[in-house]
C-alpha cells in the first residue's frame, strides 16, 4: 500500500491503533492516555490509524512540523517545550515526585497485569472488540490476537512479572488498583482538585479495566469495592470524551438529567481535527456557571465525590 504523505506543519498528527468496535477509543492504555492528554491540554490534533509504528517501533507517536516523537513521556515533554502547555503547573516539587512515582507504577507494573488479562486470559473477548475489515477478517483477527498473545507472554517473562502464576499476577494487579483507590480517596483527581498529567496516565489504564474486560476480576473490583475509581473514570470520560458512548453504560453513575443527555451521541472522531475550545472552561470564570454533561444546575459535578467548600463560600458571598 502506498503510504499517504502527511503534512504535519503546525499540526499534531497522532498515529495510533485503529478504533475497536465496542465504542472504546482504544484497547491500548498508552494510545488512550496520549489522546486524552491532548484533550486535557486542549491541543487540536489529527488521528491517523495507519498502523505504522514509529522509527523506534512504538505506538502511539506524533508528528509535528515534520518532527517525529515516540514514547508518551517524550511526546508530552516535546509538546510542553514547543507549545508551552503544562498540566502540572499547580504541583509542587513533592507532588511532582509523587506524580512520577504513580506514573511509573501504572506504566511499568500495572500495565503488564492488564495486558495479561486482556491478551492472555480474556483473549476471546478482546478478539470480539478488534475491528478488522475484509473477506478474511475473522481469520486475520484470530492470527493477530494469537500473535499478540505470544508477544505479551514473552515480554512479560522478560519483564519478570510473567514468571508468576495467574493468581499471583492478579494479586499484584489488585494491590496496584487498591493503591490507586487509596491515593485518590475522595479527591476529584489523583493529585487534588485540578487535573495533572498523571490523570491521563491513570485514566488510560483504568479505562481498560472499566470498559474492555467484561466479567473479569479487575472489572468486578473497579465497579464494586473500588467504586471511587469507577466514578473517577466516569468523570474524565464525560468531561473529555463527550462522544464516547458505551452500550454497557452503568446507570449507577448517572442522574436523570445526565442519562437523558447521554442518549444522544456522535461517533468517535477519526481523521478530523478535535479541539474542546469553547466547549467549557476548565478554570471557569469567577461569577459564571458553566453547564457541562456532568454538572447540575449549580455547576457542581454530579460525579465528584468531593465538594469544593471554597467555591460554595464564594458563591454565597456573591449572593
Amino acid at each position: 500500500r502506498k503510504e499517504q504523505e502527511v503534512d504535519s506543519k503546525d499540526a499534531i498528527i497522532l498515529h495510533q491503533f485503529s478504533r475497536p468496535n465496542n465504542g472504546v477509543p482504544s484497547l491500548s492504555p498508552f494510545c488512550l492516555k496520549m489522546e486524552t492528554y491532548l484533550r486535557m491540554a486542549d491541543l487540536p490534533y489529527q488521528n491517523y490509524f495507519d498502523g505504522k509504528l514509529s522509527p523506534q517501533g512504538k505506538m502511539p507517536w506524533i508528528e509535528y512540523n515534520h518532527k517525529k516523537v515516540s514514547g508518551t513521556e517524550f511526546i508530552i515533554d516535546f509538546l510542553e517545550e514547543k507549545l508551552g502547555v503544562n498540566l502540572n503547573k499547580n504541583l509542587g516539587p513533592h507532588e511532582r515526585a509523587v506524580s512520577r512515582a504513580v506514573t511509573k507504577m501504572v506504566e511499568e507494573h500495572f500495565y503488564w497485569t492488564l495486558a495479561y488479562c486482556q491478551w492472555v486470559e480474556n483473549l476471546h473477548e478482546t478478539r470480539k472488540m478488534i475491528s478488522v475489515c475484509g473477506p478474511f477478517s475473522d481469520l486475520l483477527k484470530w492470527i493477530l490476537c494469537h500473535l499478540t498473545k505470544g508477544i505479551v507472554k514473552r515480554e512479560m517473562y522478560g519483564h519478570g512479572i510473567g514468571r508468576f502464576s495467574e493468581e499471583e499476577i492478579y494479586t499484584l494487579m489488585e494491590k496496584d488498583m487498591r493503591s490507586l483507590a487509596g491515593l485518590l480517596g475522595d479527591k476529584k483527581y489523583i493529585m487534588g482538585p485540578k487535573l495533572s498529567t498523571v490523570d491521563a496516565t491513570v485514566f488510560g489504564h483504568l479505562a481498560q479495566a472499566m470498559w474492555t474486560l467484561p466479567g473479569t476480576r479487575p472489572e468486578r473490583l473497579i465497579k464494586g469495592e473500588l467504586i471511587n475509581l469507577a466514578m473517577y473514570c466516569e468523570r474524565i470520560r464525560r468531561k473529555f470524551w463527550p462522544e464516547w458512548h458505551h452500550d454497557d453504560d452503568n446507570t449507577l453513575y448517572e442522574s436523570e438529567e445526565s442519562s437523558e443527555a447521554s442518549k444522544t451521541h456522535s461517533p468517535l472522531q477519526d481523521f478530523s481535527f478535535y479541539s474542546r475550545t469553547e466547549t467549557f472552561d476548565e478554570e471557569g470564570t469567577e461569577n459564571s456557571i458553566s453547564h457541562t454533561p456532568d454538572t447540575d444546575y449549580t455547576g457542581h459535578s454530579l460525579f465528584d465525590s468531593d465538594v469544593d467548600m471554597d467555591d460554595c463560600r464564594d458563591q454565597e458571598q456573591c449572593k
Side-chain angles (χ1 to χ4, degrees):
R1 184 164 66 103
K2 185 177 181 180
E3 292 185 3
Q4 181 179 358
E5 199 64 36
V6 177
D7 183 9
S8 64
K9 187 178 188 313
D10 297 327
I12 300 172
I13 308 298
L14 177 61
H15 296 263
Q16 61 169 313
F17 296 116
S18 299
R19 300 280 196 215
N21 58 21
N22 68 329
V24 177
S26 181
L27 295 177
S28 164
F30 291 98
C31 289
L32 183 53
K33 166 194 174 179
M34 195 66 249
E35 191 168 1
T36 301
Y37 171 85
L38 291 172
R39 292 180 175 220
M40 288 177 172
D42 197 13
L43 295 176
Y45 64 94
Q46 189 171 9
N47 277 315
Y48 270 72
F49 304 107
D50 50 10
K52 181 181 178 182
L53 299 178
S54 72
Q56 294 83 10
K58 304 282 285 185
M59 188 75 90
W61 58 287
I62 68 162
E63 292 180 82
Y64 182 77
N65 285 340
H66 306 290
K67 171 74 173 179
K68 299 178 180 180
V69 187
S70 66
T72 56
E73 184 173 354
F74 291 114
I75 293 173
I76 291 172
D77 289 344
F78 173 82
L79 294 175
E80 288 182 350
E81 179 183 352
K82 293 294 182 182
L83 303 178
V85 297
N86 186 3
L87 295 183
N88 297 330
K89 61 184 178 182
N90 296 307
L91 302 183
H94 175 74
E95 293 172 315
R96 289 172 185 266
V98 172
S99 177
R100 178 166 179 79
V102 173
T103 297
K104 292 302 112 180
M105 179 192 77
V106 170
E107 294 185 344
E108 306 296 340
H109 193 266
F110 181 51
Y111 164 76
W112 289 110
T113 63
L114 281 174
Y116 177 81
C117 188
Q118 203 169 35
W119 295 103
V120 179
E121 287 301 310
N122 204 44
L123 186 63
H124 61 289
E125 290 292 337
T126 302
R127 187 170 66 190
K128 297 176 184 177
M129 302 176 192
I130 296 177
S131 179
V132 177
C133 300
F136 304 105
S137 59
D138 290 339
L139 176 61
L140 290 174
K141 285 200 291 187
W142 188 91
I143 294 173
L144 174 62
C145 285
H146 282 79
L147 283 174
T148 304
K149 176 181 178 179
I151 293 172
V152 168
K153 291 180 71 174
R154 184 188 69 211
E155 295 292 332
M156 288 184 66
Y157 190 85
H159 176 279
I161 199 170
R163 301 171 190 242
F164 298 113
S165 67
E166 174 187 340
E167 184 59 32
E168 289 171 326
I169 291 174
Y170 278 117
T171 297
L172 295 175
M173 170 186 278
E174 290 187 10
K175 286 184 177 181
D176 287 343
M177 293 180 69
R178 292 181 193 280
S179 296
L180 290 173
L183 181 63
L184 176 64
D186 60 357
K187 299 193 300 293
K188 186 173 183 179
Y189 300 114
I190 294 296
M191 300 308 298
K194 295 184 181 297
L195 279 166
S196 59
T197 303
V198 70
D199 289 299
T201 302
V202 174
F203 173 75
H205 287 72
L206 286 180
Q208 307 303 317
M210 183 86 172
W211 290 294
T212 73
L213 297 171
T216 61
R217 288 172 63 172
E219 188 204 47
R220 292 195 300 270
L221 189 62
I222 195 173
K223 292 182 178 181
E225 182 181 347
L226 307 181
I227 194 68
N228 66 329
L229 293 182
M231 296 174 70
Y232 167 80
C233 288
E234 195 66 29
R235 278 198 293 275
I236 293 179
R237 186 184 80 154
R238 291 172 184 271
K239 191 163 192 175
F240 297 103
W241 292 91
E243 77 279 30
W244 176 354
H245 174 80
H246 196 264
D247 293 335
D248 297 327
D249 281 348
N250 195 327
T251 55
L252 175 64
Y253 317 115
E254 297 182 348
S255 69
E256 292 182 4
E257 295 176 1
S258 61
S259 61
E260 286 295 324
S262 66
K263 291 179 182 178
T264 58
H265 59 88
S266 56
L268 289 170
Q269 298 296 309
D270 290 339
F271 290 89
S272 58
F273 279 97
Y274 171 88
S275 175
R276 68 180 178 92
T277 302
E278 298 181 355
T279 57
F280 61 90
D281 186 355
E282 168 66 17
E283 301 300 330
T285 57
E286 186 173 340
N287 295 318
S288 65
I289 296 175
S290 174
H291 293 275
T292 65
D294 62 346
T295 57
D296 61 14
Y297 69 96
T298 66
H300 289 108
S301 174
L302 299 170
F303 310 101
D304 292 350
S305 54
D306 62 336
V307 178
D308 194 335
M309 298 307 297
D310 292 335
D311 288 346
C312 292
R313 284 192 291 269
D314 290 342
Q315 290 182 17
E316 289 299 323
Q317 291 174 0
C318 290
K319 293 177 182 178

